[in-house]
Amino acid sequence: MTDETNTTGDREAFLMSYEDSCDRVPVLWIHGYPLSNLLWDFQIDGLADVCRLLTPDLRGHGGSEATEPPYSVGTFADDCADLLDHLGVTGPVVVAGLSMGGYIAFEFYRRYPERVAGMILAATRAGADSDEGKINRDKAAGVAIAEGVEVVVDGMLPKLLAPDNLVEQEDMVEFVREMMLATAEDGMVGALTAMRDRPDSTPLLAKIDVPVLIVHGEEDQLIPVSEAQSMQDAIPGSELVIVPAAGHLPNLEQPEVFNDAVRGYLEQFYEE
Ligand code: MLT
């Protein structure tokens, strides 16, 4: 579906693409950079009986229109809130974010705590970028502008999957590459600015008072598993599942393990 989700107020309107399924606990699945909602195909297949899956393409990614950068994590969080409004989802939802989607989930929680019933934090971290990390965001944006999105994609792709999966799962590698190539240049630059300027969410962790599931690939080359362990230490009552034989995309690389963890986590939302 593609709709103009923000038709009121003073925020710039743009066409946002999304999928929506069933009438169970709503879970807002926020993809990472530079990906799209195709990231969640195995969750749509495997979890539609236990949750309503809302899977937007972020601004400038997949089928959603790009607007001129810069963007912020607040831009993306507000876009997600606009989508919920547009769909008439007024009650709290579980916010699930992978990597940059996790950075956005933290911002969504800061802005809309009353709209968050729970959080699933996959392959993400709480901290902000280091000074060197910020410089690298600007370098990547420069490459996207000067040489095109494909050059950035091909530099990043080998780090997204566990080393064995990269070699053995040719179809998966091609699927992820195609997904990344659907990112508009403005979307890529906008996401890089959003990640560069995102706040440190570490102080938020101890204040999160909804159930949290943390899932992390054991072989994540982009965000070390120690980041997930630190988040679990800081978020009261949170649960951590480390997924073997998975890199930065555990939901795609090991969908059954990932979906089992989510299924178990969601049970508490159906308890009397
Ligand atoms: C992502 O997967 O969303 C990004 O790689 C996260 C990041 O670069 O910090």
Side-chain angles (χ1 to χ4, degrees):
M1 280 167 271
T2 306
D3 279 334
E4 201 161 279
T5 59
N6 176 35
T7 50
T8 57
D10 55 5
R11 301 186 65 240
E12 187 185 356
F14 72 106
L15 288 174
M16 188 170 200
S17 157
Y18 62 92
E19 299 294 331
D20 181 2
S21 78
C22 90
D23 58 357
R24 313 300 299 267
V25 174
V27 182
L28 174 67
W29 297 88
I30 309 176
H31 64 76
Y33 156 90
L35 301 166
S36 79
N37 68 2
L38 294 178
L39 178 68
W40 307 115
D41 274 5
F42 286 119
Q43 283 60 60
I44 290 174
D45 285 351
L47 294 170
D49 60 323
V50 285
C51 64
R52 176 184 186 189
L53 294 105
L54 308 169
T55 61
D57 283 337
L58 294 170
R59 184 185 289 245
H61 295 70
S64 284
E65 274 187 329
T67 56
E68 230 177 90
Y71 312 159
S72 67
V73 284
T75 312
F76 288 133
D78 288 348
D79 289 344
C80 291
D82 284 344
L83 177 64
L84 296 181
D85 290 343
H86 175 75
L87 296 173
V89 179
T90 52
V93 303
V94 173
V95 181
L98 182 134
S99 198
M100 179 179 76
Y103 311 156
I104 298 165
F106 287 131
E107 186 62 24
F108 190 94
Y109 186 76
R110 263 189 294 273
R111 290 181 180 223
Y112 308 104
E114 73 290 349
R115 299 190 86 155
V116 181
M119 296 173 88
I120 300 171
L121 300 170
T124 195
R125 55 158 46 109
D129 274 2
S130 62
D131 289 345
E132 189 191 350
K134 287 180 201 282
I135 291 168
N136 288 336
R137 300 292 188 198
D138 291 339
K139 280 190 191 154
V143 171
I145 292 164
E147 299 173 49
V149 162
E150 192 167 0
V151 177
V152 178
V153 166
D154 285 333
M156 189 175 173
L157 184 60
K159 297 177 217 144
L160 279 180
L161 304 175
D164 283 353
N165 294 339
L166 190 67
V167 175
E168 289 160 19
Q169 309 276 345
E170 278 178 31
D171 289 351
M172 188 190 293
V173 175
E174 198 43 40
F175 176 72
V176 173
R177 185 169 186 273
E178 288 300 315
M179 192 182 348
M180 296 168 89
L181 288 175
T183 311
E185 181 188 304
D186 277 350
M188 185 170 267
V189 173
L192 286 162
T193 57
M195 291 190 287
R196 179 195 65 196
D197 298 338
R198 74 186 189 278
D200 180 7
S201 293
T202 312
L204 180 73
L205 300 180
K207 299 180 200 146
I208 296 178
D209 64 356
V210 292
V212 175
L213 170 67
I214 301 164
V215 189
H216 212 95
E218 194 168 28
E219 299 176 41
D220 192 326
Q221 301 174 69
L222 283 179
I223 300 185
V225 80
S226 58
E227 296 281 353
Q229 280 150 348
S230 303
M231 288 196 297
Q232 188 203 12
D233 288 343
I235 303 175
S238 59
E239 180 193 349
L240 170 62
V241 174
I242 296 175
V243 183
H248 193 55
L249 306 178
N251 64 308
L252 194 70
E253 293 173 82
Q254 299 297 339
E256 283 182 18
V257 178
F258 184 94
N259 287 355
D260 280 352
V262 172
R263 192 172 276 276
Y265 164 79
L266 289 175
E267 270 171 19
Q268 64 197 299
F269 295 96
Y270 293 104
E271 281 161 7
E272 292 296 307

